Structures are given as structure tokens and as C-alpha cells.
């Protein structure tokens, strides 16, 4: 991993931690951006961690660009990235895979797809060598995912699967982006899954939909009253496949203000995780379900 | 204490100087696309320079006033009228209770800033009154204005009408423009000759130009330096592992049509960027009409900071000229 620094005009420093995606690169980006936040460098206005890079917005009237660069390089060498331990949350997200709404949408945009004869999930299952869509769903929901970036639009999480690279699900984006995606669609592009926080354009393959809102600018939903966006970089997500009936029940619960998402505070250790991925993930799942 | 929107125009929104601090959650700055004009309009009516105004694009709204208010219009040449009588842009004028403010056809530029004495008093959300339509956040119900909307106004300071911004302080929209760019970000991915071509070509503003981004057409497609796609990036040479997008950054999906991100920017994604339009030139973009020819010109950080300083001087002159 070689860090590459570049200026984005006169107001941003852009730092590529690594050209390719990995948990190591993500954690390095997260620990350096945390260090930037703690060090309170004058002139910093935005600190944006991303998957394998990060970006700092600053006011060059308060700190010269070259000084800003030197501060970041100083923090890079000081940041302890050998054994990253992170206080974070694990959140269960119910998913209706193969739902009627994304199915209707994907049919409308079939001519923009790699495989117009299949649905997105059938296509993703096939190119990732799964025997069936059921097996694919089991793999997608079988291990937790890291929120490795929040953005694109308000509150949208990019999620990185917590398994070794050989087992990661990969899928290309649509040949041409759609002009429409249902709100709360579970999408996938490259090695990232996402939850579309609002309705709009999108290029990721659509696998399902969650009944659980993750962004509420009116802050009326019980668990979004404190802040309008649910996710922060470093959160973990565990998908829970649900039925159509359970989906409708959950939607009714949201409307009645009854939905209480399952989420727990946990501490994550990268070294512990890498030592034995599957047993570490089982431990996380136990923490989630409180037993 | 209220104004009523009789006709909203094309896409009129409430904007102030923006909402910093939430870009890491995908919530962009928002705020006026031409902040210099927004500040000028506010100062003319005795508001703080960052009070909330109406930003109208291409077509003006029609607004009924319930009490006497000072008004000023700056930015695009969108001539205001009070009960059908013409008024000057860049100059404060009075609209009396019961009168209607409307606009003639757009003559120049794209976005006009309509400041009203006391400012538009929509709720402050995350520190700003700006509208972010994609996220249904801020402004009036998180959306562009509609006929029948009633907007509250703040308490106005007493000012004389006929206050004007001196011509040498106005940065009026031009017909052709040069946008200065600091090459960087993923510039190394562009083939050398292709990089030179990008700055040599004349581009034109595409119809897909809004508060999120401006798209440009007409120049030669980019050619990329050879590479092996890194894990997670996707196979197209214009793809990267999804990263943050700086404001003003120029992404070129598929290498064909450059897109410059603006105030309602999508905060990140998987397209490579070749550089960033400098902060001093961002206001100019918001005044470009579709089909306007544009050249991109490379410069270095020293020149970018000099341009920034020059723009700051212009803002000071703006304040000074109105005492």
C-alpha cells in the first residue's frame, strides 16, 4: 500500500490509500481520518473517509495547501494501523430478496443489462458460480458487511463483504445506468453492496429491498430522530432474509413508529478477524443476537 | 410577513451560502450556485450577505407581496417587473403590499438571485436554509417551489431603494468562458497526448446541467494509459474503487463527456477524475446556459491561490461599495 496524495483544486486534499480495495486499505483510511478529526487541524471543514481513500476539505485562507499536506503526512506516519481496534455497531437489516418492486424496475431497464434474459440476482448468482439463487442469497446474507463509505446521495452506505477475497461477490454495474431505482433497494456493483437511501438513478444490480428506512430528512422515524442518516463509516450490517408477509408487517411497524432495529455496540479487531474470519463472524452474530 | 408564489418559474429554490460539515454522509454543501451574486443581492436589501434568497434558473417566478419589502435581483440578466413596470437588476427597489413581482425573459446567464429584505425564513436544517432537492432536505419542504407556496420572511432592516452595485464589482455572466483547472486526482491515468487535447478542445455545455453537475460535450474522447484493473474498481478504464468526489472535480465516465460536480454534488462514486475546477471559477459555471462554449485551462496551485485571492478582493469591494 502506497499512499498517493493529490490536491482537488485549492480546497481539497485527496488521498488514495490503495489503488485496489481491501479491508486493510479501508481501516487505514478510517484510522487516519479519525486522527485528523481528533487533531483539530485549523481550516479543516470536511473529513470524508471512503472505501480505500479519503478526502479532506479545507479553507486555504486558514491553512496553506502545502501545510495541510504535511499535517496529513505527519498523521499518516503516526497513525497506528498495525492492530486496528474499532468501537462500532452491528445492525441487522431485513431484506426481501427477489421483491416485486425491484423486479418491476429491472424489467423496465432490461435493454441496459448484460443479460436481458435473466433477472439481476439470477445473473449475479450465475457469474459468481452459485448453483442457485437460494445459494446466492445464503452467501450474501451469511456474513456481515462493513460500511466502508457513506455517500453518493444522502445517507447511502457502500458495504464491503467481510470474507476473504476469493469468496467475495462481484458484479459489474449496468451497461448504462438506470434513471430509476426504488427507494431502499439493495444494490451491488464491483465488490460493493449498497442500500439506495432515496429513489433515483443507479447502476448497481438490484437484489432486493428493505422495509427499514435509513434516511429521514424530517427525522420523524423513531431511530432517526437523533440524526437523519442511520449509517456511519465503520458500522457493520448483517442482512436478514425475510418473506413478503414479514416485509409488509415491518412497513406497518415503521408507519406506527414501532420498528426498533436490532443493533448492538461491538468492538472490532482487524487482527482477530483476519486470524479466523468465519469464527470471528459467528462471534459478531452472537453479539448481535445477544447470546 | 409572507410572500406567496403565484407561479414558481422553472426550478426556483431557497438557497443561502450552504451547509458544510455533512459531506461524509453524502449530504452536499448546496447553497447558491453563484455565491457572489447571492451575496450582492442580499447586501443591496440590507440583509446579511448569507441570508436565504430565491435562486431562479432560466425563468423567473411570480410572487405576491403581503407587506412592503425591499428587493434586489443579481446574477443572470433576468429583468424584474413590479406590477408589470420594469426595474433594474443589481439595484434595490421597493415592492409594496399587494403588488406582484414578476420577470421578463432571460437575457443573459442562467441563475438569478432574488433577495428580499429580511430574508426567506424557512427552518434552519443542519445549520442552513438551503434546499437539497435530491435528499428532500432544507428549503421549503425540501423541494423546488410550487404555485400556492407561502414563505415567511424575517425582520427587514431599513434601507433606501435605488442602492446599486458598481459595474466594476458586478461579475455579470459572459457568453463564453474559460474554466481554470488544477490537474490531479487521477490525471496520471490519462494518456499524455489525450491530456493535452482535453485542454486544447472547445467544449459545449450539455442540456444535462443542473445543481448537481454540469456535463460538457464536443471535445475528443479521452484515451487512458494502459493498466490492469485493480480489485473492486471494475473493468472500464474510467473506473476506480469508489472514492470521494471533490466539489468542482471533473469526472469523465467512459472517457467521453466530462462532468463537473457543483453545489448539490453526489459525494462519491466509481468514476476517475482528471482534476478540479478552482474555487474562484465555480460561480461562473452556474451562469452557463446549455450550448455555451467552454475551454478548460490548466494552472498550478500558486495561480489557483492567486485567483482565489482576487475573488476575495471582489467580495470585499462588494461590501465596501455599499458601506
Amino acid at each position: 500500500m502506497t499512499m498517493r496524495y493529490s490536491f482537488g483544486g485549492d480546497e481539497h486534499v485527496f488521498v488514495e490509500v490503495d489503488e485496489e480495495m481491501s479491508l486493510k486499505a479501508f481501516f487505514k483510511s478510517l484510522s487516519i481520518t479519525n486522527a485528523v478529526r481528533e487533531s483539530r487541524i485549523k481550516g479543516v471543514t470536511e473529513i470524508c473517509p471512503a472505501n480505500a481513500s479519503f478526502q479532506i476539505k479545507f479553507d486555504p485562507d486558514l491553512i496553506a495547501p502545502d501545510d495541510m499536506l504535511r499535517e496529513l503526512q505527519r498523521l499518516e506516519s503516526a497513525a497506528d494501523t498495525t492492530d486496528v481496534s474499532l468501537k462500532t455497531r452491528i445492525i441487522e437489516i431485513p431484506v426481501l430478496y427477489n421483491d416485486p418492486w425491484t423486479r418491476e424496475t429491472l424489467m423496465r431497464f432490461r435493454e441496459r443489462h448484460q443479460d436481458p434474459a435473466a433477472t439481476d440476482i439470477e445473473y449475479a448468482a450465475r457469474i459468481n458460480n452459485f448453483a442457485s439463487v437460494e445459494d446466492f442469497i445464503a452467501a450474501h446474507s451469511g456474513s456481515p458487511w462493513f460500511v466502508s463509505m457513506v455517500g453518493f446521495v444522502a445517507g447511502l452506505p457502500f458495504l464491503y463483504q467481510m470474507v476473504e477475497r476469493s469468496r467475495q461477490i462481484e458484479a459489474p454495474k449496468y451497461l448504462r445506468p438506470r434513471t430509476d431505482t426504488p427507494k431502499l433497494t439493495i444494490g451491488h456493483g464491483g465488490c460493493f453492496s449498497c442500500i439506495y437511501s432515496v429513489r433515483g438513478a443507479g447502476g448497481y444490480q438490484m437484489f432486493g429491498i428493505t422495509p427499514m428506512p435509513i434516511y429521514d430528512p424530517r427525522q420523524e422515524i423513531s431511530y432517526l430522530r437523533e440524526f437523519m442518516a442511520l449509517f456511519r463509516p465503520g458500522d457493520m450490517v448483517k442482512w436478514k432474509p425475510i418473506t413478503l408477509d414479514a416485509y409488509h408487517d415491518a412497513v406497518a411497524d415503521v408507519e406506527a413508529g414501532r420498528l426498533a432495529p436490532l443493533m448492538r455496540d461491538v468492538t472490532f479487531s482487524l487482527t482477530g478477524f483476519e486470524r479466523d474470519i468465519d469464527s470471528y463472524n459467528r462471534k459478531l452474530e452472537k453479539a448481535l443476537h445477544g447470546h | 410577513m409572507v410572500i406567496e408564489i403565484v407561479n414558481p418559474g422553472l426550478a426556483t429554490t431557497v438557497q443561502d451560502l450552504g451547509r458544510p460539515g455533512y459531506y461524509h454522509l453524502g449530504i452536499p454543501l448546496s447553497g447558491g450556485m453563484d455565491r457572489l451574486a447571492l451575496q450582492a443581492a442580499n447586501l443591496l436589501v440590507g440583509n446579511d450577505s448569507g441570508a436565504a434568497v430565491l435562486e431562479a434558473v432560466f425563468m423567473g417566478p411570480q410572487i405576491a407581496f403581503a407587506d412592503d419589502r425591499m428587493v434586489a435581483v443579481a446574477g443572470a440578466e433576468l429583468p424584474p417587473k413590479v406590477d408589470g413596470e420594469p426595474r433594474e437588476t443589481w439595484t434595490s427597489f421597493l415592492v409594496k403590499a399587494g403588488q406582484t413581482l414578476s420577470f421578463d425573459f432571460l437575457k443573459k446567464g442562467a441563475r438569478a438571485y432574488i433577495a428580499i429584505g429580511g430574508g426567506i425564513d424557512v427552518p434552519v436544517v443542519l445549520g442552513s436554509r438551503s434546499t437539497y432537492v435530491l435528499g428532500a432536505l432544507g428549503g421549503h419542504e425540501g423541494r423546488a417551489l410550487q404555485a400556492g407556496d407561502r414563505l415567511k420572511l424575517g425582520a427587514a432592516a431599513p434601507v433606501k431603494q435605488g442602492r446599486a452595485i458598481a459595474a466594476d464589482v458586478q461579475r455579470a455572466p459572459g457568453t463564453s468562458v474559460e474554466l481554470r483547472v488544477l490537474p490531479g486526482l487521477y490525471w496520471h491515468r490519462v494518456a499524455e497526448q489525450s491530456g493535452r487535447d482535453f485542454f486544447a478542445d472547445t467544449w459545449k455545455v450539455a442540456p444535462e446541467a443542473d445543481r448537481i453537475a454540469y456535463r460538457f460535450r464536443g471535445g475528443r474522447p479521452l484515451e487512458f494509459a494502459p493498466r490492469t484493473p485493480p480489485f473492486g474498481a471494475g473493468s472500464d478504464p474510467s473506473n476506480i474503487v469508489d472514492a470521494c468526489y471533490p466539489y468542482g472535480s471533473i469526472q469523465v465516465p467512459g472517457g467521453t463527456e466530462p462532468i463537473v460536480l457543483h453545489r448539490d454534488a453526489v459525494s462519491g462514486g466509481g468514476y476517475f477524475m482528471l482534476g478540479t475546477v478552482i474555487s474562484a471559477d465555480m460561480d461562473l459555471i452556474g451562469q452557463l446556459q446549455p450550448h455555451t462554449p467552454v475551454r478548460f485551462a490548466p494552472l498550478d496551485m500558486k495561480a489557483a491561490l492567486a485567483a482565489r485571492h482576487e475573488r476575495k478582493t471582489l467580495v470585499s469591494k462588494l461590501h465596501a461599495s455599499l458601506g
Side-chain angles (χ1 to χ4, degrees):
Chain A
M1 272 193 286
T2 344
M3 306 264 279
R4 191 174 63 77
Y5 290 83
S6 181
F7 286 112
D10 47 321
E11 295 188 333
H12 307 84
V13 187
F14 180 89
V15 186
E16 187 184 71
V17 175
D18 198 353
E19 222 189 351
E20 61 172 33
M21 181 58 192
S22 68
L23 269 186
K24 271 207 165 60
F26 162 66
F27 274 99
K28 195 163 179 185
S29 156
L30 199 62
S31 40
I32 298 170
T33 48
N34 283 340
V36 174
R37 193 171 299 108
E38 281 154 24
S39 66
R40 298 179 182 277
I41 304 165
K42 68 171 177 187
V44 168
T45 57
E46 309 262 6
I47 303 167
C48 306
N51 299 311
S53 59
F54 65 92
Q55 172 180 305
I56 307 293
K57 186 165 192 277
F58 65 98
D59 180 349
D61 300 335
L62 299 177
I63 182 165
D66 284 336
D67 292 340
M68 186 69 230
L69 201 64
R70 269 192 291 276
E71 288 281 352
L72 293 181
Q73 283 164 339
R74 186 180 61 78
L75 287 172
E76 180 204 339
S77 51
D80 179 16
T81 49
T82 46
D83 180 19
V84 185
S85 167
L86 182 71
K87 281 192 189 332
T88 180
R89 304 179 296 177
I90 183 161
I91 305 169
E92 184 175 83
I93 303 286
V95 186
L96 175 60
Y97 287 96
N98 252 327
D99 67 290
W101 299 278
T102 58
R103 181 176 281 257
E104 185 275 329
T105 308
L106 68 88
M107 292 313 288
R108 269 192 284 139
F109 293 99
R110 229 54 221 133
E111 89 289 358
R112 301 181 185 213
H113 196 269
Q114 289 81 358
D115 185 356
T119 62
D120 291 9
I121 201 167
E122 284 164 359
Y123 169 70
R126 180 167 58 75
I127 62 166
N128 283 283
N129 302 314
F130 288 98
S132 66
V133 166
E134 289 68 35
D135 288 356
F136 177 84
I137 292 170
H140 191 261
S141 59
S143 56
W145 297 63
F146 258 110
V147 176
S148 50
M149 176 171 167
V150 177
F152 179 57
V153 292
L156 179 150
F158 286 81
L159 299 138
Y160 182 72
Q161 197 172 14
M162 294 164 62
V163 290
E164 49 278 63
R165 186 171 287 182
S166 59
R167 280 161 65 195
Q168 276 183 355
I169 294 164
E170 284 192 89
K173 296 168 191 172
Y174 270 48
L175 297 171
R176 284 179 299 129
R178 297 177 304 273
T179 52
D180 192 18
T181 311
K183 187 174 158 178
L184 297 174
T185 290
I186 311 303
H188 196 98
C191 64
F192 300 105
S193 273
C194 81
I195 307 172
Y196 285 88
S197 52
V198 294
R199 186 177 173 179
Y204 277 18
Q205 308 284 337
M206 297 182 290
F207 295 160
I209 202 160
T210 176
M212 193 176 133
I214 58 163
Y215 170 71
D216 175 21
R218 293 169 178 266
Q219 291 179 257
E220 285 164 356
I221 292 166
S222 57
Y223 56 92
L224 295 172
R225 266 186 210 130
E226 216 166 285
F227 194 73
M228 58 184 73
L230 176 63
F231 288 110
R232 301 188 285 263
D235 281 339
M236 287 178 281
V237 161
K238 184 74 172 56
W239 310 111
K240 181 194 176 190
I242 57 167
T243 62
L244 186 59
D245 284 346
Y247 175 87
H248 285 301
D249 289 348
V251 167
D253 284 349
V254 171
E255 276 162 16
R258 279 193 306 256
L259 187 82
L262 186 55
M263 49 177 116
R264 302 265 186 239
D265 292 331
V266 287
T267 302
F268 177 83
S269 144
L270 185 57
T271 338
F273 171 77
E274 282 180 334
R275 204 176 296 131
D276 185 348
I277 290 177
D278 288 330
S279 72
Y280 200 89
N281 284 344
R282 277 195 298 276
K283 224 172 73 186
L284 285 171
E285 194 157 353
K286 270 188 192 160
L288 179 66
H289 295 289
H291 55 74
Chain B
M1 297 292 280
V2 293
I3 50 170
E4 183 174 339
I5 306 300
V6 181
N7 181 325
L10 197 64
T12 304
T13 54
V14 178
Q15 299 294 346
D16 60 13
L17 289 176
R19 180 178 287 119
Y22 302 94
Y23 204 42
H24 64 295
L25 300 173
I27 299 171
L29 277 175
S30 303
M33 295 277 283
D34 180 350
R35 296 199 295 164
L36 207 65
L38 181 148
Q39 287 169 286
N42 268 326
L43 292 174
L44 284 169
V45 299
N47 289 351
D48 286 344
S49 63
V53 306
L54 300 181
E55 179 185 86
V57 57
F58 300 139
M59 193 192 284
Q62 199 180 334
I63 305 168
F65 281 65
D67 62 340
D68 296 6
R69 291 282 167 160
M70 207 58 77
V71 172
V73 178
E77 194 52 34
L78 188 69
K81 295 184 291 188
V82 177
D83 279 354
E85 290 290 313
R87 295 287 184 272
E88 297 287 316
T89 53
W90 301 92
T91 307
S92 64
F93 57 88
L94 186 71
V95 181
K96 289 188 171 155
Q99 288 188 317
T100 299
L101 172 68
S102 64
F103 292 86
D104 228 321
F105 291 112
L106 178 72
K107 290 199 173 127
K108 223 177 180 190
R111 286 180 173 80
Y113 294 84
I114 307 158
I116 301 172
I120 311 291
D121 189 20
V122 293
V124 174
V125 182
L126 303 179
S128 165
R129 293 184 165 90
S130 291
T131 318
Y132 168 46
V133 173
L134 195 59
L137 183 72
H140 180 69
E141 296 179 1
R143 58 166 170 78
L145 298 179
Q146 294 170 0
D149 283 344
R150 292 163 64 82
L151 303 177
K152 274 202 295 182
L153 301 174
V159 282
K160 290 198 300 261
Q161 58 174 325
R163 279 159 49 113
I165 303 278
D168 66 322
V169 195
Q170 292 179 19
R171 198 157 74 162
T175 45
S176 171
V177 71
E178 184 183 89
L179 297 175
R180 289 167 290 183
V181 172
L182 191 67
L185 303 170
Y186 291 84
W187 175 252
H188 59 282
R189 305 266 353 276
V190 182
E192 210 177 313
Q193 181 56 45
S194 189
R196 279 194 291 271
D197 294 345
F198 175 79
F199 289 115
D201 286 348
T202 297
W203 298 86
K204 281 192 171 169
V205 177
E208 301 92 336
D210 57 21
R211 293 184 42 85
I212 298 170
Y214 264 58
R215 191 183 276 257
F216 296 87
R217 279 185 193 145
R220 280 166 279 187
L222 285 186
E223 281 171 32
F224 294 92
R227 73 151 182 185
T228 313
F231 176 80
S235 52
D236 190 285
S238 69
N239 289 164
I240 57 168
V241 167
D242 294 54
C244 299
Y245 289 152
Y247 296 101
S249 61
I250 307 172
Q251 51 176 264
V252 195
T256 57
E257 293 177 353
I259 296 172
V260 180
L261 291 175
H262 219 290
R263 306 289 302 184
D264 286 355
V266 288
S267 71
Y271 293 117
F272 104 107
M273 301 155 274
L274 58 75
T276 309
V277 174
I278 61 170
S279 63
D281 287 353
M282 289 297 283
D283 288 336
L284 301 175
I285 297 176
Q287 295 296 1
L288 297 175
Q289 294 184 1
H291 312 300
T292 307
V294 169
R295 292 282 291 273
F296 294 102
L299 83 179
D300 60 15
M301 181 61 91
K302 198 175 157 209
L305 292 177
R308 183 183 178 86
H309 182 74
E310 210 173 289
R311 185 192 177 279
K312 242 185 128 180
T313 309
L314 202 61
V315 177
S316 314
K317 274 167 82 179
L318 193 69
H319 280 264
S321 77
L322 289 165

